[in-house]
Amino acid sequence: MTAEELRALLAEARTSRDFGRFVEAIPFARFLGLSVAMQGDELVTTMRFDPKLVGNSTIPALHGGTMGGLLESAAIFTLLAAPESVVLPKIINITVDYLRSARAVETYAAGVITKQGRRVTTVQAFAWQEDRAKPVTSAHAHFLVQDG
Amino acid sequence: MPEPRKPFDRERALSVMASAFRTMVPLNAALDLEAIDCDFGVSVMRLPWRADLVGNPVRGVLHGGAITALVDACSGASVFFALPKPVPIATLDLRIDYLKPATPHKAVTARAECYRVGRNVAFTRAIAYHDDPSDPIASSAGTFMIATKGDSVMRKAGS
């Protein structure tokens, strides 16, 4: 994919509010089995359960990397959906807090932009399963959002 | 780093790591994670480059989430190799700093060290690099809870 094709795909998804198309641009999001859609006024990323996403097969629980990848992806989708978004954000760092064991079921995530700077944006993201009030994993991440 | 109570059996640990960390952990297998080396409180693993693990389709570099999985698995292994006996552990938190852009189409290696084992919590640091550990693309700090509920991966693996 060229930079122009990526830019066009992201812009088209944003203007048509067909945010599910973000997943087409990011191979690893497809590997995780993610889908993206507006639920009310919130962009929610859904990760369908797949046995390959498991980290501890005894409990069983989703892998720490699975949850980190879901939250990083949800943060990126939140930024891509923002009207001022132009480029694929580059991650500077991410801190993931593992709050509860993430069970082998469908998992959801959403992000909130806590600071939108000219060069750097801060996003907080949460993942939950059946009960939104009991997040299983949370993260905060910084992204470079400047072009080039 | 904590002192080993008996000499570290590297060959045995590496063979357990090479089998258990993939057979017991489906995501490690799905990512083709390779066990490269280990020592007391130290683990080295490699994530091969694959087209389906890419984060930026223009640049072709691995997604941060794939690096997170590598660093989490490698850091967890370093805790196992620092424990006097294998007990279940769980990641409490993991921070990853991306120091410079990764090179497209290149595998990433992680080297993790568990430098402190407390009664409840173990502390790790890790770097990720392509070829040269002195030129890392990412660095990480992690904490792990020791002796969580559930069966030990190592015990299930027959050790």
Side-chain angles (χ1 to χ4, degrees):
Chain A
M1 192 182 278
T2 66
E4 290 70 32
E5 285 165 348
L6 174 65
R7 197 179 289 260
L9 191 160
L10 297 177
E12 198 182 304
R14 191 158 46 240
T15 49
S16 63
R17 296 184 68 78
D18 186 5
F19 300 116
R21 295 199 62 199
F22 291 156
V23 174
E24 291 172 27
I26 303 173
F28 189 68
R30 294 199 297 272
F31 174 87
L32 290 178
L34 304 186
S35 56
V36 186
M38 288 300 286
Q39 292 184 13
D41 54 2
E42 182 180 56
L43 193 71
V44 175
T45 301
T46 300
M47 180 170 69
R48 65 174 176 268
F49 174 71
D50 187 304
K52 76 178 178 193
L53 302 178
V54 166
N56 181 327
S57 38
T58 316
I59 297 178
L62 297 176
H63 196 285
T66 301
M67 297 308 297
L70 168 64
L71 288 168
E72 183 178 329
S73 300
I76 290 170
F77 296 144
T78 301
L79 290 172
L80 290 178
E84 59 274 30
S85 171
V86 282
V87 292
L88 198 56
K90 271 189 213 146
I91 189 154
I92 300 169
N93 57 31
I94 184 166
T95 304
V96 185
D97 287 318
Y98 296 90
L99 309 171
R100 295 178 174 85
S101 172
R103 287 167 308 106
V105 296
E106 189 165 87
T107 307
Y108 314 96
V112 177
I113 298 172
T114 44
K115 164 83 200 285
Q116 175 85 66
R118 196 168 51 82
R119 290 184 293 167
V120 173
T121 295
T122 308
V123 185
Q124 291 198 310
F126 296 87
W128 68 95
Q129 295 183 323
E130 277 94 16
D131 186 354
R132 174 125 198 201
K134 289 182 178 165
V136 291
T137 314
S138 71
H140 69 99
H142 294 97
F143 294 90
L144 268 176
V145 289
Q146 201 175 34
D147 217 345
Chain B
M1 198 192 296
E3 284 299 307
R5 291 176 195 180
K6 58 185 178 190
F8 186 80
D9 187 345
R10 182 179 164 279
E11 292 305 316
R12 182 176 170 279
L14 194 57
S15 79
V16 170
M17 180 181 170
S19 60
F21 280 85
R22 278 175 73 148
T23 57
M24 301 298 296
V25 185
L27 185 73
N28 293 357
L31 294 172
D32 289 325
L33 283 191
E34 297 168 61
I36 302 294
D37 200 3
C38 65
D39 198 344
F40 180 77
V42 174
S43 162
V44 182
M45 286 185 184
R46 184 184 297 138
L47 172 68
W49 185 90
R50 254 174 35 198
D52 62 337
L53 304 181
V54 159
N56 182 320
V58 177
R59 297 203 55 242
V61 295
L62 292 168
H63 192 281
I67 309 272
T68 300
L70 166 71
V71 170
D72 182 50
C74 191
S75 300
S78 77
V79 175
F80 273 121
F81 296 140
L83 292 171
K85 61 176 182 173
V87 294
I89 62 168
T91 317
L92 185 59
D93 86 339
L94 191 68
R95 174 191 169 118
I96 301 179
D97 289 311
Y98 291 91
L99 307 175
K100 62 176 208 174
T103 307
H105 305 275
K106 288 201 84 165
V108 175
T109 302
R111 182 186 192 281
E113 181 188 356
C114 176
Y115 62 94
R116 158 80 188 157
V117 177
R119 190 202 299 263
N120 295 300
V121 181
F123 299 82
T124 63
R125 54 188 163 226
I127 52 162
Y129 54 94
H130 288 305
D131 303 305
D132 180 0
S134 68
D135 185 22
I137 55 173
S139 75
S140 169
T143 53
F144 289 79
M145 292 304 298
I146 298 168
T148 53
K149 284 177 284 187
D151 268 346
S152 161
V153 165
M154 302 282 274
R155 183 148 24 90
K156 281 285 248 186
S159 62

